[in-house]
Amino acid sequence: MPSAPRRLLVAINPAASFGRNRAVGPAVTERLMREGYEVSVLREANFELLRREAESAFELGTDGLVVVGGDGMVSLGVNLLAGTGVPLGIVAAGTGNDLARGLGLPHDDPAVATEALVEALGREPRRIDAGLIRHGALRTWFASVVSTGFDAVVNERANRMTRPRGPSRYTLAMVRELITFRPRRYTITVDGVRREQRAMLVSVANNSSLGGGMRIVPHADLGDGLLDVFIVHPLSRARLVAVFPKVFAGRHSDHPAVEFLTAREVRIEADDIIAYADGERIGSLPIDVEIVPGALSVFV
């Protein structure tokens, strides 16, 4: 990559934040062009078409990819760029924006996020770790969190809901799932050490939060070369309800039902659980997860 980026791909999700931020993509493009960048805009009717268009455009060469949207768009960028050395820029305009939060980027004002991007383009990109999931023959990169428990079940329900719009949709889905959720039996292999246990939730984190700022691993470091495994042991529904407000605030680390582990490789097996990574559906367990230090460059 040249010392300063000149050619940029800008991938826009027009449905970011349920369509409330449709004007953000054109504003970002106009701002970058005023700064003298050569901008190629990628915008398609749906996510799959956009992913294919981004792959084709990337093969023609670029100095960076800017994604405009939420964590779904970040996932698109991470899976395209991890391991390539080409940097990712983020203009957070979605409902979760968890990687932007973890990077210290503006996550609640797209105009401010655009100006932060312009400034970041003048600096050396930062290298962060990325996680790699193997699910059968599929390989998927992630930057923030893999969910394989109660949080994944909540994500599955939230994705089926059309209302309410915004982060409260995740909260409502959580309340509805609490009515019937029961602990699952897991087999978890952490750096070759196998353990079998029941748990409410098992997550593998590179970043500190998911679901729009729910700080499940408040001490997570995007550049430490390690995964953080977050386990919530079996709880009654009443006690789980009591724990979750602490999780949102990152004040649950000393709870007796909570366990943290660090690892470089993790295998998770369980019945009747769909894994999610950065809010995107991966599929039924089992999955294998590993950390790849410094795999992703980001404009920050």
Side-chain angles (χ1 to χ4, degrees):
M1 191 190 79
S3 57
R6 300 316 308 169
R7 299 171 302 158
L8 297 173
L9 298 175
V10 178
I12 300 170
N13 179 8
S17 199
F18 297 93
R20 290 195 299 269
N21 289 329
R22 289 184 185 277
V24 176
V28 171
T29 302
E30 181 182 345
R31 183 71 178 87
L32 292 173
M33 292 177 68
R34 287 207 312 269
E35 289 293 315
Y37 293 101
E38 179 185 323
V39 177
S40 297
V41 179
L42 310 175
R43 186 200 297 263
E44 294 292 342
N46 60 58
F47 187 85
E48 180 57 26
L49 288 175
L50 183 60
R51 183 187 64 79
R52 293 178 187 177
E53 180 66 15
E55 289 176 351
S56 298
F58 180 75
E59 290 177 358
L60 299 177
T62 185
D63 296 330
L65 169 67
V66 175
V67 294
V68 181
D71 287 318
M73 291 297 293
V74 169
S75 177
L76 181 152
V78 170
N79 277 278
L80 187 60
L81 301 182
T84 69
V86 177
L88 174 68
I90 302 169
V91 175
T95 54
N97 304 324
D98 284 291
L99 184 59
R101 294 169 191 266
L103 291 168
L105 296 171
H107 60 267
D108 55 5
D109 187 328
V112 175
T114 302
E115 293 307 311
L117 171 67
V118 171
E119 293 180 11
L121 289 169
R123 293 191 285 267
E124 188 72 19
R126 174 184 169 189
R127 286 271 186 176
I128 65 170
D129 305 335
L132 181 60
I133 304 165
R134 289 183 172 84
H135 177 244
L138 301 177
R139 289 159 49 98
T140 303
W141 292 91
F142 71 97
S144 292
V145 179
V146 180
S147 304
T148 67
F150 177 69
D151 51 345
V153 174
V154 170
N155 215 329
E156 183 89 338
R157 176 180 282 273
N159 282 353
R160 294 195 303 265
M161 296 166 59
T162 56
R163 295 185 181 278
R165 296 184 172 186
S168 59
R169 184 175 59 154
Y170 188 92
T171 304
L172 180 59
M174 180 181 72
V175 171
R176 290 181 173 175
E177 285 298 335
L178 278 171
I179 297 170
T180 58
F181 190 80
R182 296 289 185 274
R184 303 299 206 271
R185 178 161 294 281
Y186 289 86
T187 299
I188 309 169
T189 305
V190 178
D191 288 339
V193 179
R194 179 184 171 98
R195 55 193 284 180
E196 295 186 6
Q197 66 180 90
R198 294 171 68 243
M200 306 294 285
L201 181 155
V202 179
S203 293
V204 181
N206 182 45
N207 190 16
S208 59
S209 73
L210 55 68
M214 187 168 75
R215 300 179 64 224
I216 64 167
V217 185
H219 55 273
D221 185 336
L222 286 163
D224 64 357
L226 293 169
L227 298 166
D228 291 281
V229 184
F230 171 49
I231 301 172
V232 177
H233 294 269
L235 288 168
S236 67
R237 284 196 293 272
R239 291 181 66 197
L240 186 61
V241 169
V243 167
F244 259 82
K246 293 184 178 181
V247 174
F248 273 97
R251 293 185 288 102
H252 59 293
S253 298
D254 59 351
H255 193 283
V258 168
E259 181 180 6
F260 294 101
L261 303 167
T262 56
R264 289 182 171 82
E265 296 183 358
V266 182
R267 180 175 175 84
I268 306 175
E269 303 169 73
D271 294 330
D272 191 31
I273 288 288
I274 302 295
Y276 274 76
D278 293 354
E280 299 301 305
R281 198 177 199 268
I282 300 300
S284 301
L285 298 181
I287 58 171
D288 293 281
V289 187
E290 67 175 286
I291 193 71
V292 182
L296 187 67
S297 290
V298 288
F299 292 119
V300 295

